[in-house]
Amino acid sequence: MPTKNKGEVSEFYAFVYILGNRVIELVDGHLQLLGQNVTFLRVFRNEGIVYQFPQDGIVENDTLDIVRDDGRSSKIARRVIRSHADQLFRLIAQGDNISDDSPEIVRLKTLLQTEKLTAKSIDKSDLQGEVISSNQTHSHTLGFSVKSHVGSNPSLINSNHENSLLYYRVVPTDHERLTDKDRGLLEQIANDFNLPNDGKRTQIRSYLEILRKNGFRLKFEKTAKEALGYTLRIIDTKFPDILAEVLLEHYTYEKKSKKGDRRTLGELVDMCCTRRNLSPTFQMLGQNSEEIMNSARYKMQNFLLAFSTGASVSAKWDGHDQANGGIIIVLKDGRVVCLELFTRNSIGEYLLSNTVFDTPSLGRHGGGQLEKIGGDWFFGLQLQVRFDQR
């Protein structure tokens, strides 16, 4: 029997919640209420159906029209949808894997005349809607991405074999060229130190520490595949180097975050910007520490936004967003809120504060090992980013 996890069903719950409530509150990047809201006029889910709220201007009008492409239509009382939304959230809160054939889900799909719980995996936009916010005078049709704080943390960027692999050249600490002695030592290290296929961050960190103690450092060389490199350069011509340094920082820092073992991407960027010996990559970002940090955080926000709305590791991105309305968030208490719509400030801050690098299966995706290519040695690190609502 097919099942869905809490995150997948939360996407459907957000859709049902919006149909029942019509109005959701706007929050900033730290999920604090802004005292504003967004009102949905219509909702679309790519099934030839439009869910349309009354156009009489009365938000409290408690009906919903379901209009099909073939002209058929029907009305539903929104209080009924709200009641089903409450039952659906209780179902999500109680179980880890939820059956597609659960009676509550079957009833809702029948009521709303829909066949699917979630958008296609290739879609960055989980639902589309015509909306108007309290600080806007005109409506806009936008695509939204749904993120859930209920259940396991969802991924933002999934590793995909060589498509997500970053290569670092292994060089001596004090210069750029390997000697024959260096090559022999690296051969020995490669033979003696093998990570398990499910290697963790701490194990990769141990490997890198062995290299450091033997007088070696990693210098970013390139992405394994050009598609990822191209996409990163669209964001900023120097962003591949910036990302490579921040990813390496993830595997080399020693102190734990106050919130847990893994530091957020925002914390890692700040660490790279405040090193005593600032790297040339970060030195070029500004004339003082404030400018450097502002520049680095801005570029990292753009990276996270790109992969939230359209980019992927396996294809060259054209710079066009698929989800252009922002992020809808399902909170742990069942409330559904929306990050500020018409600027990217709140969304960018939310992403910086709630995403972490993750270590995928090395056996499945590669990386985490020394590799000899020609007469040079390289070390690969996988790019994987996950939400971490702590």
Side-chain angles (χ1 to χ4, degrees):
M1 183 179 296
T3 61
K4 295 286 192 298
N5 60 41
K6 289 185 177 184
E8 291 172 315
V9 182
S10 290
E11 179 187 320
F12 185 60
Y13 168 73
F15 164 67
V16 176
Y17 182 99
I18 289 168
L19 295 186
N21 291 275
R22 187 178 185 181
V23 178
I24 59 176
E25 294 178 295
L26 288 172
V27 296
D28 65 15
H30 301 285
L31 302 185
Q32 299 300 307
L33 294 176
L34 292 172
Q36 303 171 19
N37 55 51
V38 56
T39 300
F40 281 79
L41 306 179
R42 294 187 297 171
V43 176
F44 318 92
R45 282 191 92 218
N46 298 326
E47 292 182 286
I49 300 175
V50 177
Y51 300 89
Q52 185 167 298
F53 297 94
Q55 301 299 304
D56 54 15
I58 303 174
V59 171
E60 291 77 13
N61 192 325
D62 204 41
T63 59
L64 177 74
D65 292 329
I66 301 179
V67 182
R68 306 187 68 91
D69 280 349
D70 59 12
R72 289 180 295 159
S73 65
S74 57
K75 289 184 180 292
I76 303 176
R78 287 186 10 245
R79 65 179 180 277
V80 175
I81 301 175
R82 290 193 293 272
S83 176
H84 280 288
D86 291 340
Q87 295 176 48
L88 179 60
F89 186 76
R90 285 194 290 271
L91 180 66
I92 294 170
Q94 291 169 0
D96 291 328
N97 292 305
I98 301 165
S99 170
D100 287 0
D101 297 329
S102 165
E104 182 55 39
I105 289 177
V106 171
R107 282 193 293 268
L108 262 172
K109 288 167 71 174
T110 301
L111 178 70
L112 300 176
Q113 302 176 34
T114 182
E115 297 295 327
K116 62 181 183 178
L117 289 183
T118 60
K120 295 178 181 178
S121 60
I122 60 173
D123 291 341
K124 291 289 185 177
S125 176
D126 296 319
L127 63 87
Q128 297 83 38
E130 182 185 350
V131 301
I132 186 167
S133 68
S134 50
N135 60 351
Q136 297 286 323
T137 58
H138 302 288
S139 66
H140 303 263
T141 299
L142 304 171
F144 295 88
S145 172
V146 177
K147 302 301 177 186
S148 176
H149 284 210
V150 184
S152 59
N153 294 318
S155 61
L156 176 62
I157 302 173
N158 281 317
S159 290
N160 186 5
H161 309 286
E162 285 192 335
N163 292 313
S164 50
L165 189 64
L166 278 67
Y167 273 127
Y168 299 76
R169 183 186 295 272
V170 183
V171 297
T173 301
D174 54 356
H175 54 92
E176 298 286 326
R177 293 183 177 276
L178 294 175
T179 65
D180 289 341
K181 182 179 178 181
D182 293 331
R183 292 186 178 89
L185 181 55
L186 288 170
E187 187 90 48
Q188 181 180 343
I189 294 172
N191 290 333
D192 292 346
F193 197 91
N194 290 306
L195 287 177
N197 287 339
D198 60 347
K200 306 299 182 185
R201 184 190 77 87
T202 52
Q203 293 170 312
I204 293 179
R205 181 175 177 273
S206 297
Y207 204 146
L208 298 179
E209 183 64 13
I210 289 173
L211 291 174
R212 187 190 67 81
K213 288 181 176 179
N214 281 277
F216 299 105
R217 61 186 173 91
L218 299 188
K219 179 182 179 182
F220 176 64
E221 182 76 7
K222 63 177 182 178
T223 56
K225 294 292 186 180
E226 172 56 16
L228 177 59
Y230 175 84
T231 295
L232 298 180
R233 291 193 301 274
I234 278 187
I235 296 167
D236 187 275
T237 54
K238 294 299 294 181
F239 192 73
D241 301 273
I242 295 170
L243 177 64
E245 284 205 31
V246 178
L247 179 59
L248 187 58
E249 184 72 24
H250 166 70
Y251 283 107
T252 53
Y253 72 79
E254 296 182 12
K255 294 182 180 179
K256 290 185 177 181
S257 167
K258 293 180 180 179
K259 295 183 178 180
D261 181 53
R262 291 186 295 184
R263 292 185 181 270
T264 66
L265 266 68
E267 290 173 320
L268 291 171
V269 168
D270 292 349
M271 290 168 68
C272 289
C273 292
T274 54
R275 288 190 192 127
R276 180 173 299 176
N277 297 316
L278 200 63
S279 72
T281 297
F282 280 82
Q283 286 177 9
M284 64 175 289
L285 296 181
Q287 296 182 337
N288 55 55
S289 58
E290 182 180 359
E291 290 181 359
I292 290 170
M293 188 171 291
N294 286 341
S295 179
R297 290 178 69 89
Y298 175 75
K299 295 178 194 303
M300 185 59 72
Q301 283 185 14
N302 285 344
F303 161 71
L304 295 171
L305 284 163
F307 279 84
S308 296
T309 60
S312 72
V313 298
S314 57
K316 292 182 177 181
W317 185 43
D318 60 7
H320 294 155
D321 293 340
Q322 294 176 25
N324 58 358
I327 297 177
I328 289 173
I329 300 172
V330 179
L331 300 176
K332 290 182 179 180
D333 62 2
R335 287 182 299 141
V336 175
V337 296
C338 181
L339 283 167
E340 181 189 5
L341 282 175
F342 297 102
T343 74
R344 289 189 162 201
N345 299 335
S346 292
I347 299 173
E349 186 58 40
Y350 173 77
L351 292 171
L352 277 179
S353 302
N354 289 277
T355 53
V356 296
F357 288 122
D358 199 16
T359 304
S361 167
L362 302 180
R364 179 180 178 185
H365 295 288
Q369 301 283 355
L370 280 171
E371 294 183 49
K372 187 178 182 181
I373 303 176
D376 294 312
W377 285 88
F378 295 87
F379 196 94
L381 292 177
Q382 280 288 347
L383 175 62
Q384 181 159 293
V385 178
R386 186 171 295 279
F387 284 91
D388 188 19
Q389 290 93 25
R390 292 172 289 184

